[in-house]
Amino acid sequence: MTNVSTYLDPAEEKMEMAAAYLEESLAHIRAGKANPKILDGIRVDYYGSMTPLSNVANIAVPDARTITITPWEKSMFKVIEKAIINSELGIMPENNGEVIRLSIPPLTEDRRKALVKQSKAEAEQAKVSVRNARRDAIDGLKKAIKQGMPEDVEKDAENTAQKLHDKFLKKIDDLFAAKEKEILTV
């Protein structure tokens, strides 16, 4: 006879990963405020290997609308600027020879709506992952009945899977609501 946790633990783990992934992907969506995480996806050519920007420069946020990048080597200024220009950030870097500054422009109403839409799509994708994890757990439990698991134990486990599902959907909704508020706050 199989144990209920054989099905519920992987489902909870998948749901947790979906929520964590959503949190990470929402952090990369810029909301009109300076956030160093928007630079996480930028890689620069550092002596022949593509290296994350944070590994070749110091990244700071002196105020709400500015990100400063201080390369550890003077030779990296042009490479970093080129990587930022070629990225999908849509921000032009300013270089004074000491520091590269990124001024985060205020978002237009259309851009805000597009970012909310993008955030909603990310949240929906996370919800689908949570639903799939619940479905997999319930399918496994139904098969376990055929292997000798009592029906009442299976029903209790299904209810537990549903509670996990509801908990993570609420967490996803809360993450999206917070991001939406952040984006729409002028």
Side-chain angles (χ1 to χ4, degrees):
M1 188 172 95
T2 56
N3 192 345
V4 171
S5 63
T6 310
Y7 303 102
L8 293 180
D9 289 349
E12 184 173 13
E13 191 177 318
K14 286 177 189 171
M15 291 177 190
E16 186 69 56
M17 286 169 51
Y21 179 79
L22 174 66
E23 202 167 350
E24 182 69 24
S25 59
L26 288 180
H28 289 227
I29 297 174
R30 73 180 174 100
K33 290 191 200 88
N35 181 352
K37 281 200 175 226
I38 64 171
L39 300 174
D40 283 356
I42 298 178
R43 303 223 179 281
V44 293
D45 184 15
Y46 185 65
Y47 296 112
S49 68
M50 295 310 278
T51 309
L53 181 59
S54 58
N55 290 5
V56 297
N58 187 31
I59 300 171
V61 182
D63 61 62
R65 294 253 179 238
T66 311
I67 298 175
T68 59
I69 303 165
T70 311
W72 296 329
E73 297 177 23
K74 294 276 186 208
S75 63
M76 292 303 295
F77 273 99
K78 292 282 181 230
V79 179
I80 291 172
E81 277 189 316
K82 187 176 178 193
I84 292 170
I85 291 169
N86 292 339
S87 74
E88 295 174 3
L89 273 183
I91 301 173
M92 198 64 182
E94 302 163 20
N95 175 357
N96 67 3
E98 299 281 319
V99 175
I100 297 172
R101 286 193 199 314
L102 298 178
S103 296
I104 309 296
L107 297 172
T108 63
E109 189 62 32
D110 289 342
R111 184 71 178 132
R112 286 179 196 279
K113 287 179 182 171
L115 290 175
V116 167
K117 197 173 187 180
Q118 182 184 350
S119 299
K120 189 166 184 67
E122 293 282 353
E124 199 51 49
Q125 192 175 357
K127 285 181 178 182
V128 168
S129 297
V130 168
R131 289 183 192 119
N132 287 343
R134 176 192 59 182
R135 186 198 61 223
D136 292 346
I138 290 175
D139 288 350
L141 289 165
K142 289 194 185 308
K143 288 177 184 159
I145 289 179
K146 293 179 179 118
Q147 298 168 358
M149 180 183 280
E151 278 190 41
D152 59 335
V153 172
E154 186 268 342
K155 284 291 178 210
D156 289 345
E158 264 189 49
N159 288 338
T160 305
Q162 184 63 41
K163 286 177 184 158
L164 281 173
H165 167 267
D166 296 344
K167 176 180 125 182
F168 281 101
L169 281 191
K170 182 177 178 354
K171 183 176 182 178
I172 288 168
D173 286 337
D174 292 347
L175 286 170
F176 170 68
K179 188 63 177 186
E180 183 180 32
K181 184 175 184 248
E182 181 186 344
I183 291 171
L184 296 177
T185 302
V186 180

